[in-house]
Amino acid sequence: MDSLTVSYLEMLEQHDAEACRILRAEAARQETTIELIASENHVSQRVMHGIGTCLTNKYAEGYPGRRYYGGCRHHDEIEQLARDRAKELFGCKYANVQPHSGAQANMAVYMAFLEPGDTFASLVLKDGGHLSHGMHLNFSGRYFKPVHYPLVYDEAKPDFEHIDYDAMRALCLEHRPKMILCGYSAYPRTIHFEKFRTVADEIGAIMVADIAHIAGLCATGVHPNPFPHAHVVTTTTHKTLRGPRGGLIMTNDLELHKKMNTTVFPGTQGGPLMHAIGAKAIAFGEALKPEYKTYCRQVVSNAQALVSALSEYGYRLCSGGTDNHLMLVDLSARDADLTGKDAEAWLESAGIITNKNGIPKDTRPPMVTSGLRLGTPAVTTRGLREEHMPQIAAWIDRVLGSGGDEGECAAVRGEVREFCEGYPLEH
Ligand code: DSN
């Protein structure tokens, strides 16, 4: 735990022992477990405390220079700083840093470019897409009409379980969506943004890249940047980007920018979370430093090392491996009866935090699944390197191979706890 958090908790204890106990317990959980959820990270002290500032006290509806409340001078400055740093980071002309989350960013984009009932193209959730890319219970599936492009499902093909770009084009020519969405939550391979743009131009559609997962990799050139191909880029700020929880929308087109400013506020949000915007500015500043690029490279090297180590135990990696920070493990190749639900629970009891995840053609429901999604952003922040990945794979296999045996899980829990002591969460 970092020193500022320690003093904050000491102070809180005097005023609210109950809340303090919960926060201490969560801090201890994070300290003593290995975090492999691909969408999570450990922020720096600067970002952690950057979100708990006096900026939270202000209403600042509107945008810098045009607010609906007085007293916004410093809020204008911090929002402009966040915007400027985002633009520099991704090499684009316009940024809106107000979305409260990635889903909110996407909602503003849908509202800017689609009318209710309009068609858009995306990847389906179980193939690696996101809730806000057309899931039937989400606003995106309820008010708009998704058509889903497929992966390559033919095992004999070298690009098995990669995006099927030819089929994506055919689907778009048939349905003529107004918007083509790419960028995913559980897809481990490089995204060829230019192929989406070519099809978007053919049918006069808007091309949107939701880079929530890979934002940090895109910003540092470790994954291709969606600019200049995408008309619009949305992202979260808290995954590989290692900032506070939040969203971001970017574009190179002034007219699109103006339209989306309106659909963020007043379209879908009220007062911006200025404390979160302050922390975004700080996080973007960190991401502009050379050491962040080294970090992003290491994230991918660690993911590839974990893929190799898991393969040796007989696990099948969907899409044949990874080019980014995450991997999707098909558990059925190791044990046909093993579900993602059990694997997640057993690993958690051993101090290894993961999430169950559907795999392409999964026959099990989303709360059960046949897959496990793993990612390396958090462990890399913690200082782990390629040489540590075989140990993590060995722990995973011991737990899963034991069928969740309580004694074995407890033994691994002890080893994980001891290991974590060597990599404290202060950075
Ligand atoms: N829930 C996030 C993830 O885990 O990928 C996506 O929003």
Side-chain angles (χ1 to χ4, degrees):
M1 208 187 308
D2 69 82
S3 53
L4 281 171
T5 302
V6 170
S7 21
Y8 171 71
L9 289 175
E10 280 167 5
M11 181 272 289
L12 184 65
E13 193 159 33
Q14 307 305 315
H15 296 268
D16 189 341
E18 201 179 351
C20 183
R21 178 191 61 74
I22 297 169
L23 291 183
R24 278 195 206 284
E26 173 57 11
R29 186 193 70 80
Q30 293 186 19
E31 286 282 350
T32 61
T33 55
I34 291 178
E35 181 54 73
L36 290 177
I37 292 180
S39 48
E40 296 187 12
N41 214 326
H42 301 294
V43 298
S44 70
Q45 277 195 63
R46 280 87 52 199
V47 172
M48 178 75 80
H49 300 287
I51 197 160
T53 67
C54 58
L55 294 171
T56 198
N57 291 335
K58 193 83 195 80
Y59 259 120
E61 272 137 312
Y63 290 99
R66 290 187 68 225
R67 303 282 190 187
Y68 288 84
Y69 290 81
C72 287
R73 182 169 146 206
H74 304 299
H75 297 79
D76 284 3
E77 286 176 345
I78 200 80
E79 185 165 348
Q80 196 53 52
L81 184 64
R83 283 169 158 184
D84 291 343
R85 288 180 173 173
K87 290 186 278 178
E88 187 179 347
L89 202 47
F90 291 93
C92 65
K93 288 188 187 156
Y94 306 102
N96 185 317
V97 296
Q98 292 194 3
H100 302 332
S101 69
Q104 290 280 140
N106 286 344
M107 185 183 267
V109 169
Y110 281 82
M111 195 175 177
F113 304 116
L114 303 181
E115 294 301 325
D118 276 350
T119 303
F120 69 98
S122 66
L123 190 67
V124 75
L125 184 64
K126 70 174 179 51
D127 281 353
H130 185 251
L131 290 176
S132 64
H133 296 186
M135 193 261 196
H136 69 288
L137 295 175
N138 187 265
F139 76 90
S140 55
R142 185 154 175 191
Y143 300 117
F144 306 99
K145 189 178 161 227
V147 287
H148 296 301
Y149 51 82
L151 300 178
V152 173
Y153 298 122
D154 180 351
E155 284 181 49
K157 296 206 169 150
D159 53 355
F160 174 48
E161 293 176 339
H162 291 219
I163 287 165
D164 188 334
Y165 291 95
D166 292 335
M168 179 271 293
R169 177 171 180 268
L171 176 102
C172 290
L173 290 180
E174 182 186 345
H175 294 278
R176 307 200 74 86
K178 270 189 164 172
M179 180 173 92
I180 306 178
L181 195 50
C182 64
Y184 316 104
S185 295
Y187 182 69
R189 290 303 189 181
T190 298
I191 301 167
H192 298 290
F193 297 115
E194 70 286 358
K195 297 192 184 186
F196 288 97
R197 178 58 186 260
T198 302
V199 176
D201 285 347
E202 258 186 284
I203 60 169
I206 288 273
M207 181 214 155
V208 178
D210 174 350
I211 58 167
H213 263 261
I214 54 173
L217 311 184
C218 294
T220 51
V222 174
H223 183 285
N225 193 331
F227 290 115
H229 308 295
H231 293 105
V232 172
V233 173
T234 63
T235 183
T236 56
T237 48
H238 50 272
K239 298 184 174 107
T240 49
L241 201 44
R242 212 163 56 181
R245 305 194 80 76
L248 170 65
I249 305 176
M250 294 169 286
T251 182
N252 276 327
D253 184 310
L254 179 60
E255 290 313 308
L256 302 188
H257 175 62
K258 284 184 186 164
K259 219 169 178 178
M260 293 185 291
N261 279 351
T262 305
T263 55
V264 170
F265 170 80
T268 52
Q269 293 188 174
L273 307 179
M274 292 310 301
H275 57 303
I277 289 173
K280 285 175 190 175
I282 294 166
F284 298 160
E286 287 185 358
L288 283 164
K289 297 209 160 96
E291 51 269 34
Y292 179 72
K293 182 168 187 164
T294 310
Y295 160 74
C296 288
R297 284 200 187 114
Q298 189 65 51
V299 166
V300 176
S301 301
N302 284 353
Q304 290 171 341
L306 188 53
V307 159
S308 306
L310 287 166
S311 305
E312 286 182 19
Y313 288 101
Y315 294 94
R316 187 182 81 83
L317 278 303
C318 297
S319 311
T322 186
D323 301 320
N324 60 26
H325 64 299
L326 69 78
M327 66 213 69
L328 195 54
V329 186
D330 173 1
L331 298 166
S332 65
R334 176 76 173 77
D335 174 352
D337 295 327
L338 182 56
T339 66
K341 180 182 177 196
D342 283 342
E344 178 193 300
W346 298 344
L347 287 168
E348 180 166 353
S349 72
I352 299 172
I353 313 301
T354 64
N355 68 276
K356 59 183 159 300
N357 212 103
I359 57 173
K361 303 274 180 198
D362 208 329
T363 52
R364 294 187 168 110
M367 286 303 280
V368 182
T369 81
S370 307
L372 204 55
R373 189 186 63 166
L374 307 175
T376 51
V379 291
T380 306
T381 293
R382 205 162 180 161
L384 305 197
R385 300 289 175 260
E386 290 92 331
E387 61 268 26
H388 301 112
M389 298 303 125
Q391 175 62 80
I392 292 180
W395 279 323
I396 290 174
D397 192 60
R398 250 172 83 191
V399 169
L400 301 187
S402 77
D405 175 77
E406 276 184 31
E408 197 62 29
C409 291
V412 172
R413 179 76 190 98
E415 289 174 34
V416 165
R417 190 183 292 276
E418 195 181 330
F419 177 82
C420 287
E421 279 171 20
Y423 298 91
L425 279 181
E426 257 167 316
H427 71 107

